[in-house]
Amino acid sequence: MDYVSEQMKNTLKHPDYFKVSELFTVEDLFNARVHLGHTEGSLDEHMSQFVFGSRLGYLIIDLDQTAGLLRDALNFIAHIAFRGGIILFIGRTPQHQLLIEDTAKECGEYAHTRFWQGGVLTNSTVQFGCVTRLPDLIIALHTMNNVISQHTAIRDAAKMLIPTVAVVDTNCNPNLVTYPIPGNDDSAASVNLYCKLFKAAILRGKEKRKELLKL
Amino acid sequence: MASVLGQFLRRSGTLVRTSCTTQARVASGLLHIQQHSSSSSSSSSMVEESTTPPESGRMSKSMLAYQQRAEAHDKFMVEQVAEYEIGRRHLANMMGEDPETFTQEDINAAIQYLLPSGLFEPSARPSMKHPSEVFIKKKAAEFDASGRPFHTFFYTGYPAFYEALHELGKTMISLEQFANKMARLKVESETSQAFNPGGTEWRSKGELSKMFLEELHNKHYVFFIQSMNRLLEHPYSSRAEDFIMRFRKVVLSRQSKEEIPKLLYTAEGVPYMTGSGKRKHAEATVTVYGRGSGKIEINEQDIRFFELIQDREQVVFPLQFTNLLGKVDLVANVTGAGLSSSAGAIRLATSLALQSFVDEHMREKMRLAGLLSKDFRIKERKKPGQKGARAKFTWKKR
C-alpha cells in the first residue's frame, strides 16, 4: 500500500511523466485541420480567447494555445489511467459514433455515444438498479448534441465533480469543462487524430500502471 | 395413493415456500396454485453482512454485497434444481415410468392426470416446471470487485443491445468496402448477392429483450429493425447472413405444410378431383373433370340453376382465374337453403378441387385472391333489448 502511494506521488513530481508531448506536433494538428472553426456568426463569446483570427468569414483556432491545452489534457488522462480510473468517452455525432466506440474498446475503457438517459450520473443507483461506480473522467469528442443544445453529461459531470476533457469548437461553451481542447470537432481527420491521441495517452498510463504498481 | 401424493408434495413444498413460490399442494381439499415470482424479492432477502473489511472507500462494501447476492442467488438456483430433480424422479416412480427417461412433457401429463383442474387459465393450473423457467433469468454481476464494469457500453443502460447495433454498423462498413472493391475490379455477379428474406421474419421485441436480457422500448426496437432492413437492402448482404440470422426466426408457411391431394383417374383415364365447400348453411360437393369442354352441372341442372348473374359469376370465377374455363367439366351437388350461399359454397368447393390441377405458382395466386379461404360470415344473432343484431328500438328523447 505504501509502495503504491509512493509511486503515485513520484509520478506527480514530473511535469510530463508520461511524455505525452511527444505524441503530436502543431504541424500534426494543422494537417488534421484542427484549426478550422465555424463561421463568425456562430462564435460563442467564451471561445473568442482561443480564436487566432478569421479567413473569408470562417474562424481559425489558435493552434499554439490548443497544443498547450491538449498536452495538459493528455497528461491528465494518462495520470487517471495510471491510477485505474474509469474513463467514459462521449459524443453524439452519428458519423463518428463507431470510431469513438472502437477507441474505447481498444484501450479497455467505456463509451456512451447513444441517447443519454437523464439519471446516468446524477441518479445512477435507480438508473442501473444497483450501486454503481461512476466514471472518474469523461472525455467528450463533441460537447453538442446538435447545433443548439449541449450534451447533458458536461453539466452533470460538473455537478458530480467528475473532471471532463472536451474538444470545444468555436460554437461550444467551454465553461464547465475542466480541460477544454479548442479545436475542430467536425472533420473526420481531426476526430481521428483526437481518438488516436487519447488512446495513446490511456495506454501509456496503463502500461506504467502494470510496470510500476504491478496491477 | 392420495395420502402418498400429499406427503410427497408437502415434503417438496416446504423448502420452496421460503422463496415465495408454492408447488401444488393437496391439504384437506385445499389446492394452492403455483405462482411465478420475481427473483429480486427473494435475492434481496439474502443480502448478508460483509465479513471482510473494506479496502478503500464505501464503494467496495456495496460491491461485495452485490457480489454476495449474486453468489447466493446461484446457490439458491442449484438447490432448486436439485429439488426439482428429486420431485421428477418421485413423480416418475408414482406413474410407474423409468425415472431416467422422464421428460418435461411426461411431467406435464402426470400432473394433469394426478391433479386435474377445471380452471380456464392455463397458468393458474397446477404445474411443475424447471426452476430456470420459474425464476426470471437475471444478468450475471456486471462489474468486478473494484467496481469497473465488464462491458464497454455499460453506462448506456443497454450494453448488449448497443453492442449489436455497433456490430451492425461495422458490418455495413465492411460490406461497403467490399462493394467498392468489386466495383473497382469490375466484378459483377449474375445471381443476386443480397440476403434472401424468404421464409424468415424479424424476431419480436419480446424475443429480442429476452435475448439481450434488457427491457427494450418500442423506439429501440423500431430503430433496430429499420437499421437491419437497411443492411438487408445492400446488394452484398448475403455475406452478413450469420449476423442477420441471429435476429431472424424461421417461419414455416402454412401452405407448404398442407398436402394437395393428387389427381384421381376414372376408368377411361379422365383426371378428376372432388372438393367440398360450405357457405352459411349451404354445403356443396363439386367434382372437376379434366379434359372437358366447359360443361357445368348443378344439382342435375344447367348453370341456369342460378337466375342471378352474380351467382353464375361466382361459380365460374375459379375457372376464369385459373384459365381453365373451357377445359374442365364441373359437376356440383349443393344442399341447404339460399341461392347466394349455394353459389359461394360451389365456388369454394371448385377452388379446392382445382388445386390439384394447377401448379404451385397458380395455387399461391389463388390463395392470395381469397379463393381457398372459407367465408366464415354467418347471420349475427339478435340480442335482447334490441330490435335486431345491431338495430336498436326507436330512441325517445323523453
Side-chain angles (χ1 to χ4, degrees), chain A residues 75-90:
Chain A
N75 183 36
F76 184 70
I77 292 168
H79 276 282
I80 292 277
F82 174 70
R83 284 148 187 267
I86 292 179
I87 299 173
L88 181 66
F89 284 85
I90 61 164

Side-chain angles (χ1 to χ4, degrees), chain B residues 258-328:
Chain B
E258 283 166 17
E259 276 181 39
I260 314 295
K262 282 210 161 79
L263 276 176
L264 303 166
Y265 290 89
T266 59
E268 290 92 48
V270 177
Y272 75 96
M273 194 65 234
T274 334
S276 55
K278 288 192 205 179
R279 173 89 218 276
K280 283 206 235 179
H281 289 281
E283 290 179 32
T285 329
V286 167
T287 318
V288 178
Y289 292 95
R291 280 199 256 134
S293 54
K295 281 193 284 197
I296 296 176
E297 197 186 297
I298 302 162
N299 282 3
E300 273 119 55
Q301 286 178 52
D302 206 357
I303 188 80
R304 283 173 283 195
F305 175 85
F306 293 114
E307 282 183 27
L308 275 183
I309 298 284
Q310 182 186 287
D311 295 338
R312 292 181 191 178
E313 277 181 353
Q314 285 284 294
V315 169
V316 157
F317 178 54
L319 307 172
Q320 215 174 8
F321 190 82
T322 53
N323 303 316
L324 293 170
L325 196 47
K327 296 172 193 155
V328 292

Side-chain angles (χ1 to χ4, degrees), chain B residues 288 318-319 322 324 328 349-358 366:
Chain B
V288 178
L319 307 172
T322 53
L324 293 170
V328 292
T350 319
S351 312
L352 291 174
L354 282 177
Q355 277 188 99
S356 312
F357 283 86
V358 296
M366 282 172 80

Side-chain angles (χ1 to χ4, degrees), chain A residues 84-86 88 98 101-102 104-105 108-115 117 120 128 130-135 206, chain B residues 59 62-63 66 143 146-158 162-163 165-166 169-170 173 219:
Chain A
I86 292 179
L88 181 66
L98 286 178
E101 289 180 342
D102 276 333
K105 277 186 187 232
E109 295 298 336
Y110 308 88
H112 193 328
T113 59
R114 309 285 174 170
F115 175 74
Q117 292 162 306
V120 171
F128 298 109
C130 56
V131 180
T132 41
R133 183 177 154 188
L134 293 181
K206 288 190 166 176
Chain B
M59 211 63 220
S62 36
M63 289 301 151
Y66 182 84
F143 28 73
S146 70
R148 283 187 76 97
F150 293 122
H151 205 292
T152 312
F153 302 143
F154 170 79
Y155 291 102
T156 61
Y158 302 92
Y162 286 127
E163 179 71 53
L165 278 179
H166 179 84
K170 297 288 281 288
I173 288 171
K219 61 184 180 190

Side-chain angles (χ1 to χ4, degrees), chain B residues 39-79:
Chain B
S39 52
S40 56
S41 55
S42 55
S43 51
S44 60
S45 62
M46 293 176 200
V47 172
E48 291 157 36
E49 277 285 310
S50 167
T51 48
T52 56
E55 283 181 52
S56 53
R58 47 194 177 85
M59 211 63 220
S60 4
K61 198 171 181 181
S62 36
M63 289 301 151
L64 276 161
Y66 182 84
Q67 278 211 312
Q68 275 165 356
R69 241 178 290 144
E71 273 164 40
H73 179 76
D74 290 334
K75 202 172 123 200
F76 167 77
M77 285 301 285
V78 164
E79 282 170 19

